[in-house]
Structures are given as structure tokens and as C-alpha cells.
Amino acid sequence: MAAAESSERLVRLLTHDGEILGRWVEAVAAILRGRISRAELERELTDLYQALGQAVREGGLDWRAEEYSEVRALLVELSRNRAQHGFTPTETATSVFACKDVLAPTTTSSAEDIAAYLQLARLLDALGLFTIEAYARTREEIISAQAEQLLELSTPVVKLWEGVVAVPLVGTLDSARTQIVMEKLLQSLVDSESEQAIIDITGVPAVDTEVAQHLLKTVVAARLMGAECTISGIRPQIAQTLVALGVRFDDIVTKATLADALRYVLRRIGTEPVATGGPK
């Protein structure tokens, strides 16, 4: 089949007024089971259908060509929309693959039309795979953003007293989280004009050399801002581990509990804490 004749047949496959588009919308709507509005679905597929027809007319079957730039952009937008609304990769790609079923030849189709359909089916397969790749990239971005948000939420900086802030740490302390701790602590010191900070590791299950180094970096960064850091939550097993590892905090003040640390820093700033049992 000559290239020009093949292209004409491909274009004809995609230009049956609104019949094919309508059947495509119906097929995808059945797959998505009403989880996206009919109006939005019609808008997505109409734009894609029109762009695909123009791309085939002008660029043939090379989906990587410049003529397919609008098609690729629409597929990326569709993939992002599906990923953000919780659709699966299969549901997302099927939105493209369903067009193959709509265009499938019948028993009365000519050999030339069947050959043209097979070419178009290969094109739709490639576009469907492109859609899955775009979906995967979007999911990675969403997961990464959610992980950052969880790190933010799991690393609060609280103001305990005028001039005193604290960072209660819970869970594993790694490089990424240490960076967030450092940034939030330093910003809090600036915002609250505090000169005392307590880093409480009561909720950190284990402290090894790496965790200790992370803590030391945070303390040094705070000191460069003119603040003194106290580390609380040094339980007996943690103290033994640090000694066994040869980790030394030198001139860094450490306390067994957050209450001990708060009592210490209040004395440092000239505020005598009130005993919980009332005045003696």
C-alpha cells in the first residue's frame, strides 16, 4: 500500500463524524464507572481525538514527531488527572487502548482498511505506553511530595517558653530528615528570637554513629545562629551505645528527660521553674 494511500485510509478511520468519538467516550465511561464526570471525559477525549486526527494527517505514524506534540501534551495532562484522582495505571492506559476496540474492523472491511487499522493500532499501543510512563512520573512526584509533607509533620518545632524552643523527634533520624530538622529549627530560632533550643530524642528508637553525627551537625548549625542546644532523652541504653561507639558530645549539654532539659535552660535564661507540687 502506497504511503499516501495508507495515510488517507488512516485519516478516514478517524473521521466518521461523531460516531467513533461517541463510542470511545461510552467505552471509557464504562471502564471508569462514573468516577469522572461525563462532561470532563467528553472534553478530554474530544481534544485528544481531534489532535490525534490532525497529527496522523500531518505527521503520519511517528508519534515522537513534532506534529504529535499536542497529542503528547494532552496525554500527559490526562495521566496527571488520573493519577491525582486515584485511578490505576490500567484504567489510565485503557482510556487510550479503548479507541482500538472502537476502530476495530468488521467482517465487511477491506484488506486495505484492515492493514490501515493494524498500523493505527500500533500507534495507539505506543501512545498507551507513553501514557503509563507519564502516569508513573506523576505518581512518583505525588509520593515524593507526600513524603516531604510527612517529614514536615513529623518534625514540629514548638515554643516551650519565651526564648526556648524544642524539637521532639520521633522515629528514625536520617540525612533527609536531619536537613528538615535543621532548617525548621534555625528558622524557628530566627522567628521567635530564641537563644535556647532543646532537641528531644526520647522517641528515637536507636542512636548510632550516623544519628549522632546528624545531631552534632544540627547543634553546630544552631550555634552559628547564636543559640545553645540541649539534647534530652538520653536513656541508659543510648548512653551505653554512644560510649561503646566512641561518640563524644564534648561540650554539648545532655539530659535524661525533656523536663530536665527545660529546667536546665530556664535556669540558663534566669527563669526559675515552678515545682509541680506547688510552693514549699
Side-chain angles (χ1 to χ4, degrees):
M1 186 187 300
E5 183 180 353
S6 176
S7 295
E8 290 177 5
R9 288 184 179 275
L10 288 173
V11 171
R12 283 205 301 273
L13 281 176
L14 294 169
T15 52
H16 287 301
D17 299 323
E19 178 185 352
I20 292 177
L21 176 59
R23 289 164 56 196
W24 189 12
V25 171
E26 289 290 344
V28 176
I31 293 168
L32 301 184
R33 300 184 297 278
R35 293 167 60 197
I36 185 172
S37 70
R38 183 60 177 256
E40 184 177 359
L41 187 59
E42 287 181 351
R43 178 190 61 78
E44 283 182 346
L45 297 187
T46 299
D47 291 346
L48 182 58
Y49 187 72
Q50 292 174 348
L52 180 61
Q54 182 175 349
V56 170
R57 192 179 302 104
E58 298 176 357
L61 295 170
D62 184 7
W63 67 274
R64 297 182 182 85
E66 178 64 27
E67 289 80 3
Y68 279 82
S69 59
E70 183 179 358
V71 173
R72 293 193 297 269
L74 289 171
L75 289 176
V76 168
E77 180 183 350
L78 182 147
S79 301
R80 283 185 171 277
N81 181 278
R82 297 290 191 274
Q84 290 169 351
H85 286 81
F87 288 93
T88 67
T90 299
E91 290 171 327
T92 302
T94 304
S95 296
V96 177
F97 294 143
C99 189
K100 293 166 56 179
D101 297 332
V102 173
L103 294 170
T106 64
T107 54
T108 60
S109 300
S110 65
E112 292 79 6
D113 283 342
I114 293 174
Y117 167 78
L118 293 175
Q119 289 181 305
L120 188 58
R122 285 193 290 271
L123 169 64
L124 291 171
D125 285 340
L127 294 177
L129 293 176
F130 173 81
T131 303
I132 293 176
E133 291 176 359
Y135 175 95
R137 286 194 299 271
T138 299
R139 286 299 301 164
E140 289 175 1
E141 293 171 3
I142 292 174
I143 292 171
S144 178
Q146 290 174 339
E148 290 181 7
Q149 291 171 0
L150 286 174
L151 281 175
E152 289 280 349
L153 292 173
S154 65
T155 314
V157 178
V158 295
K159 185 175 180 179
L160 298 181
W161 207 273
E162 191 66 36
V164 182
V165 296
V167 185
L169 298 176
V170 178
T172 303
L173 189 64
D174 56 16
S175 298
R177 192 173 178 203
T178 301
Q179 185 63 32
I180 291 178
V181 170
M182 192 181 301
E183 291 175 358
K184 293 189 70 175
L185 176 57
L186 297 183
Q187 188 59 51
S188 180
L189 289 172
V190 172
D191 294 341
S192 63
E193 299 181 349
S194 299
E195 296 183 355
Q196 295 288 335
I198 300 173
I199 302 175
D200 182 64
I201 62 171
T202 303
V204 177
V207 175
D208 54 17
T209 305
E210 184 179 9
V211 171
Q213 292 300 322
H214 290 327
L215 291 172
L216 290 173
K217 289 178 182 177
T218 303
V219 171
V220 171
R223 280 182 174 174
L224 291 174
M225 297 289 295
E228 178 185 351
C229 280
T230 302
I231 298 178
S232 64
I234 305 294
R235 304 183 298 278
Q237 59 269 34
I238 289 181
Q240 292 173 7
T241 301
L242 293 175
V243 170
L245 293 172
V247 177
R248 298 178 58 186
F249 283 173
D250 294 328
D251 59 341
I252 299 175
V253 178
T254 60
K255 296 294 180 180
T257 67
L258 178 58
D260 291 338
L262 180 58
R263 191 175 295 111
Y264 168 79
V265 299
L266 289 179
R267 289 197 181 103
R268 292 283 296 178
I269 63 176
T271 301
E272 190 66 26
V274 177
T276 56
K280 295 183 179 179

